[in-house]
Amino acid sequence: KNEVEQSPQNLTAQEGEFITINCSYSVGISALHWLQQHPGGGIVSLFMLSSGKKKHGRLIATINIQEKHSSLHITASHPRDSAVYICAVRPLSSGSARQLTFGSGTQLTVLP
Amino acid sequence: EPEVTQTPSHQVTQMGQEVILRCVPISNHLYFYWYRQILGQKVEFLVSFYNNEISEKSEIFDDQFSVERPDGSNFTLKIRSTKLEDSAMYFCASSQQGGNTEAFFGQGTRLTVV
């Protein structure tokens, strides 16, 4: 059974701080997604990774396939970054449509 | 920017009633998905759909659930006889291909069964 574990579950930071959210998973995957869920519930895709590192603005995502671990970093955090950040993986064993398995999410609160 | 749209944003229904949740995927996408998130829990996969048929479904997706692409643009999830435990946020997603391509999510429909 594939487990996706995120840490921490909750994170409170001061504006401007560097933030790291971690994700570990237990099976081989073809890709890992980082998603952002705002208080209204909508989900936005931030990154899809299968190796290495991606950067978009103040967000950086890295993945280590051998260690089955990914991190999401936010530089110069801002209150508008407050959201739930979800890690989701696409297991190698799933069918051709390759459905996602989700972590529990990390609730990030950035204080002004 | 193209987006996945879902309607309604919030649906309240009586237990035992049928509900249809609607989604319009991104127009050139071929793979469609439904996920649900019970309040306070993880997002869970329900079903994937490709080439007018179900590709995969989870154990949650029992006979009470069905999906349809009735007209080439809409993608619907029907729950035949709703139960209290069907109350959740339902997300539709689509992707251009089924492999390692990015999935785009709708804003979700919050279903409340009373």
Side-chain angles (χ1 to χ4, degrees), chain B residues 20 34 49 52 66-71 74-78:
Chain B
I20 297 176
W34 283 102
F49 192 86
N52 283 320
S66 62
V67 289
E68 196 176 32
R69 188 153 163 81
D71 57 11
N74 289 283
F75 178 51
T76 61
L77 174 70
K78 183 193 290 187

Side-chain angles (χ1 to χ4, degrees), chain A residues 3-4 30-31 33 35 37 40-46 48 50 86 90 94-100 102-104, chain B residues 31 33 35 37 41-45 48-49 55-56 89 91 95 98-108 110:
Chain A
E3 296 290 340
V4 180
S30 60
H33 296 247
L35 308 164
Q37 185 172 31
I43 291 176
V44 175
S45 178
L46 299 174
M48 187 187 72
S50 52
I86 302 171
R90 211 179 282 279
S94 65
S96 60
R98 304 281 178 88
Q99 44 98 347
L100 295 172
F102 292 75
S104 298
Chain B
Y31 290 81
Y33 312 85
Y35 295 88
Q37 185 179 34
Q41 298 187 21
K42 294 183 182 185
V43 178
E44 304 170 288
F45 168 74
S48 58
F49 192 86
S55 306
E56 283 184 272
M89 190 77 142
F91 292 102
S95 63
N100 290 340
T101 56
E102 193 167 359
F104 292 80
F105 287 81
Q107 288 298 300
R110 185 170 300 283

Side-chain angles (χ1 to χ4, degrees), chain A residues 33 65 72 82 86 98 106 108:
Chain A
H33 296 247
I65 294 291
L72 176 69
S82 298
I86 302 171
R98 304 281 178 88
T106 294
L108 171 66

